Amino acid sequence: MATPTETRQRAILKRLDRFSRFTDSSIGIPFTRFQIGAEAIIGLLPVVGDMAGLVLSGYVLVEAQRAGASKEVKLRMLRNMGIDFVGGLLPVVGDAFDAIYKANTRNTRLLKNHLEAELSVEPPPPPFPWKTLIGLSVLFAVITGGVVLMF
């Protein structure tokens, strides 16, 4: 049975998968297998489009924070966001770079891998309840002794 944390994390990943698909690969280019997303289209607007793309990418980082991602994962996400932003600023080549790099998909995959690794680690089994065993044994001994003395 899934814990509330696991259920919340899975819901976050589901939202991020949809978001990443929309921003990075929702529009197929005719006669090719290549797909671009809304972020690549927005990025066609010089500077303003790249700033909007950076803001959109921030959503993945916010969700990673909510999901409990480690500092290392969030720093890697910030690095991907920075590469995407700076690469997108390059004249002409930047728009193609935006379409290819797909920072939101990369960051969603980073978070997914982190959470799956975290979920696959089974917590240690609870310690054996020695005190309970001894206490019950003494109680049953007292009860058994009392019953034997009564007969």
Side-chain angles (χ1 to χ4, degrees):
M1 183 169 182
T3 66
T5 300
E6 183 179 349
T7 302
R8 183 174 46 84
Q9 289 173 339
R10 293 200 188 284
I12 288 170
L13 288 174
K14 188 175 180 182
R15 281 194 305 271
L16 289 179
D17 279 337
R18 284 193 310 264
F19 177 77
S20 296
R21 204 171 13 264
F22 171 72
T23 59
D24 292 341
S25 59
S26 59
I27 305 164
I29 297 178
F31 310 111
T32 71
R33 294 184 302 159
F34 194 73
Q35 295 183 323
I36 61 173
E39 190 173 333
I41 302 299
I42 294 168
L44 292 172
L45 297 170
V47 183
V48 174
D50 296 310
M51 291 295 287
L54 186 61
V55 170
L56 285 171
S57 293
Y59 170 69
V60 180
L61 191 62
V62 168
E63 288 286 20
Q65 176 68 30
R66 286 184 189 152
S70 69
K71 182 178 179 181
E72 178 187 327
V73 168
K74 290 184 282 189
L75 286 173
R76 290 177 68 191
M77 288 179 161
L78 282 170
R79 183 195 68 201
N80 285 339
M81 290 167 60
I83 290 170
D84 186 50
F85 178 70
V86 172
L89 290 175
L90 300 170
V92 183
V93 178
D95 296 322
F97 181 81
D98 255 348
I100 294 169
Y101 191 69
K102 302 181 187 300
N104 295 326
T105 300
R106 289 171 185 263
N107 286 344
T108 298
R109 192 177 322 118
L110 270 173
L111 180 60
K112 184 176 184 176
N113 291 342
H114 170 73
L115 293 179
E116 285 177 351
E118 189 177 271
L119 292 173
S120 70
V121 175
E122 291 188 33
F128 189 80
W130 289 106
K131 290 180 183 176
T132 305
L133 176 68
I134 293 169
L136 286 174
S137 297
V138 169
L139 177 65
F140 291 146
V142 168
I143 291 172
T144 304
V147 169
V148 167
L149 290 176
M150 286 174 57
F151 295 107

